[in-house]
Amino acid sequence: MATDPGRRVIVTVDGPAGSGKSTLAKRLARRADLQYLESGAFYRAAAWLATRAEADLTDPEWLAALLAANPLQVKPKKHGFYLAVAGRDLTQDLRLPQISHNASVVAQLRPVRQWVLSHLRALGATGGLVAEGRDMGSRVFPEAEVKIYLDASLAERAHRRWLELQAQGNDISEDQVRRDLAQRDRRDQERQEDPLLVPEGAHVLDSTRSDPEQMEEICFRLIQPYL
Ligand code: DC
């Protein structure tokens, strides 16, 4: 894919849920003065629409029609974007456990992935992004200058996610979080459409024993030559 000479850098950060990729991507975006693009939010927005409509989450045609009938508004904010439908800001709702679950179900369907892909590519046309997700380096932005794949052990990822949910007042056991996460990993890795994998040319890092500052330092050095 030819790269527009006027386009700014694209950095991709992929990895499983709870690997710390959101924290890393946000930190890099702030430090390098780039936009943070959270692709999972688009799958969550599709799940939000489907959940609200009480749709059959496995019916691709129905979901395609639903997405076409409900335009998503993508509004830039400092170092990122927020998503709205008919003027309603979705930020709070997108993190609900039911939406997390449903997002990993609808993300398996081709029309949903196409819908997200076209939003993401449009936002990436001029570059200047840190794009975070499962298939940013492999599918959405294969031309990215820097690709990072961040991993961590299941136990550590579940612990982090549990702390996050506790802080938001969600009373759920750590064991349950670990089971949910293992199930989501399986769905993400085994799906036919754009499964979670290490993109070609990616820098593979493990965050199990590193803190966010260390990860940021290592990755910032990788992107600095392109700024
Ligand atoms: O990163 P997240 O937890 O917000 O993602 C929510 C769901 O969306 C996740 O279960 C898988 C899906 N997803 C995807 O399939 N591809 C991406 N690039 C990002 C997220």
Side-chain angles (χ1 to χ4, degrees), residues 61 69 87 104 116 156 169 181 213:
E61 274 154 39
S104 81
V116 174
E156 175 65 20
L181 217 53
E213 287 77 20

Side-chain angles (χ1 to χ4, degrees), residues 80-113:
F81 302 94
Y82 72 90
L83 306 182
V85 169
R88 173 173 173 173
D89 181 357
L90 302 184
T91 308
Q92 292 301 322
D93 292 355
L94 295 186
R95 309 307 308 178
L96 294 170
Q98 192 196 4
I99 301 296
S100 300
H101 173 269
N102 291 352
S104 81
V105 177
V106 299
Q108 299 183 62
L109 301 176
R110 181 178 291 235
V112 174
R113 302 204 71 82

Side-chain angles (χ1 to χ4, degrees), residues 6-216:
R7 156 166 109 45
R8 294 177 68 208
V9 66
I10 295 181
V11 178
T12 60
V13 182
D14 291 300
S19 58
K21 60 187 191 308
S22 310
T23 304
L24 175 65
K26 279 184 205 153
R27 281 174 166 260
L28 290 175
R30 220 173 296 130
R31 176 129 169 222
D33 197 20
L34 300 169
Q35 286 290 87
Y36 164 57
L37 180 60
E38 183 196 3
S39 61
F42 291 76
Y43 291 97
R44 288 168 182 272
W48 184 87
L49 284 167
T51 308
R52 187 182 62 162
E54 297 181 10
D56 173 356
L57 300 180
T58 59
D59 182 341
E61 274 154 39
W62 209 97
L63 285 173
L66 179 76
L67 296 177
N70 290 278
L72 185 69
Q73 291 138 6
V74 184
K75 305 189 179 179
K77 61 178 183 185
K78 196 165 164 59
H79 299 315
F81 302 94
Y82 72 90
L83 306 182
V85 169
R88 173 173 173 173
D89 181 357
L90 302 184
T91 308
Q92 292 301 322
D93 292 355
L94 295 186
R95 309 307 308 178
L96 294 170
Q98 192 196 4
I99 301 296
S100 300
H101 173 269
N102 291 352
S104 81
V105 177
V106 299
Q108 299 183 62
L109 301 176
R110 181 178 291 235
V112 174
R113 302 204 71 82
Q114 283 298 339
W115 179 79
V116 174
L117 184 73
S118 60
H119 278 293
L120 300 179
R121 289 239 174 104
L123 291 166
T126 51
L129 293 178
V130 181
E132 177 239 308
R134 306 288 192 292
D135 60 346
M136 297 298 98
S138 53
R139 168 90 166 123
V140 181
F141 300 118
E143 74 281 21
E145 281 75 9
V146 180
K147 299 179 185 182
I148 296 161
Y149 185 90
L150 194 61
D151 209 345
S153 70
L154 176 64
E156 175 65 20
R157 292 188 288 118
H159 185 63
R160 290 175 189 166
R161 196 36 69 91
W162 177 74
L163 287 176
E164 240 173 65
L165 290 167
Q166 290 280 306
Q168 291 162 9
N170 277 305
D171 191 20
I172 181 168
S173 76
E174 190 166 338
D175 213 43
Q176 182 63 47
V177 175
R178 187 167 36 235
R179 277 199 298 273
D180 290 350
L181 217 53
Q183 199 183 50
R184 281 177 62 191
D185 282 357
R186 254 195 314 279
R187 266 202 296 271
D188 290 347
Q189 286 160 358
E190 290 173 3
R191 67 166 175 250
Q192 305 253 307
E193 306 285 334
D194 311 325
L196 171 66
L197 46 80
V198 179
E200 216 180 298
H203 301 269
V204 180
L205 302 167
D206 190 308
S207 75
T208 306
R209 283 183 195 80
S210 304
D211 58 35
E213 287 77 20
Q214 289 169 310
M215 283 291 136
E216 177 188 323

